Amino acid sequence: MKKSRLAILASGSGSNAEAIMLWAQKSDLADVVCVISNKKQARVLERARDLNVAAEFVSKKLTDSKDDYDKKLLERLKKYQPDWIVLAGYMRLLTAEFLNHYPNKVINIHPSLLPLFPGTDGYGEAFQAKVHVSGCTIHYVDEGVDTGKIIAQKEFPLSPADTLEDFKKRGLAVENQFYPEVIEKLLRGQL
Ligand code: GRF
């Protein structure tokens, strides 16, 4: 079977991106063909370079609209011919035009059990709400904020003794394991 070509979009540290790159390097299902960031200094770009994966920064001019930026992104992605777009801590919403280029092929990981706590602070909000169980969600991406169809979820506990830092650390470790597992199942047509 032909390997799927994954392009990762990320804005930050990139622990999920790294987990996916490491998984792909051992897998016969996928190649990570590039990591693209909207942040020049994002650690994710270093992590990609360290693993010999093409790492690119796509800059946003002050005058760029959302549409302008996503057009640049599409242009940059063209040369990599990705089959899937994998968001991993990518802190921008995607336009309809972008999504139409990759129908049902853009996925994201979110650090809560959606539809609870969408937005930029899933861990913080779940912690504040003193839930006993939280988790992460992998979902298809639409134009909304974490509103796309859910693919898979994984729960993990939040104990009363946890600090927010403990909780985030535990959560990220779960995410880093779960994201590649779910991608593998998706590519095998098991989800
Ligand atoms: C993760 O918590 C992910 O769920 C959220 O952003 C964070 C990214 O972490 N969307 P990392 O950059 O992959 O370490």
Side-chain angles (χ1 to χ4, degrees):
M1 197 171 75
K2 194 175 145 280
K3 282 191 178 185
S4 294
R5 300 171 65 79
L6 314 185
I8 298 180
L9 304 186
S11 306
S13 159
S15 68
N16 283 296
E18 184 174 271
I20 295 164
M21 290 185 279
L22 289 171
W23 162 79
Q25 289 183 348
K26 288 182 291 172
S27 166
D28 52 7
L29 289 173
D31 283 319
V32 175
V33 291
C34 62
V35 171
I36 295 184
S37 183
N38 61 318
K39 299 280 182 202
K40 194 172 185 178
Q41 304 299 339
R43 172 137 177 252
V44 70
L45 293 177
E46 265 172 59
R47 296 199 204 233
R49 287 184 200 110
D50 287 348
L51 291 169
N52 292 315
V53 172
E56 300 221 21
F57 160 60
V58 175
S59 68
K60 182 185 175 304
K61 287 205 208 110
L62 274 176
T63 49
D64 281 345
S65 65
K66 253 178 86 181
D67 283 326
D68 294 334
Y69 186 79
D70 278 12
K71 281 198 175 88
K72 281 193 198 173
L73 209 51
L74 283 169
E75 194 51 44
R76 196 69 72 94
L77 281 165
K78 240 190 212 167
K79 68 175 167 188
Y80 296 106
Q81 294 288 307
D83 302 307
W84 290 83
I85 308 293
V86 177
L87 308 191
Y90 183 63
M91 301 304 280
R92 294 179 58 84
L93 294 177
L94 292 165
T95 56
E97 186 191 342
F98 184 98
L99 294 168
N100 288 338
H101 272 76
Y102 302 102
N104 285 316
K105 289 285 189 280
V106 186
I107 62 172
N108 180 41
I109 187 162
H110 180 77
S112 77
L113 295 174
L114 290 172
L116 292 174
F117 314 123
T120 55
D121 192 20
Y123 284 128
E125 287 186 23
F127 187 81
Q128 284 287 323
K130 298 189 165 54
V131 295
H132 297 293
V133 172
S134 192
C136 59
T137 302
I138 293 168
H139 63 94
Y140 288 104
V141 174
D142 63 15
E143 286 171 81
V145 178
D146 305 316
T147 46
K149 186 170 170 260
I150 290 174
I151 300 167
Q153 294 185 304
K154 179 102 172 178
E155 294 184 353
F156 46 84
L158 170 57
S159 105
D162 278 340
T163 64
L164 177 57
E165 286 317 302
D166 298 331
F167 174 52
K168 276 191 183 169
K169 202 168 156 197
R170 180 177 322 122
L172 258 187
V174 172
E175 289 186 42
N176 295 167
Q177 197 184 343
F178 191 50
Y179 211 176
E181 277 174 19
V182 169
I183 291 173
E184 172 149 355
K185 284 195 185 144
L186 259 184
L187 297 181
R188 289 192 191 282
Q190 294 168 344
L191 283 172

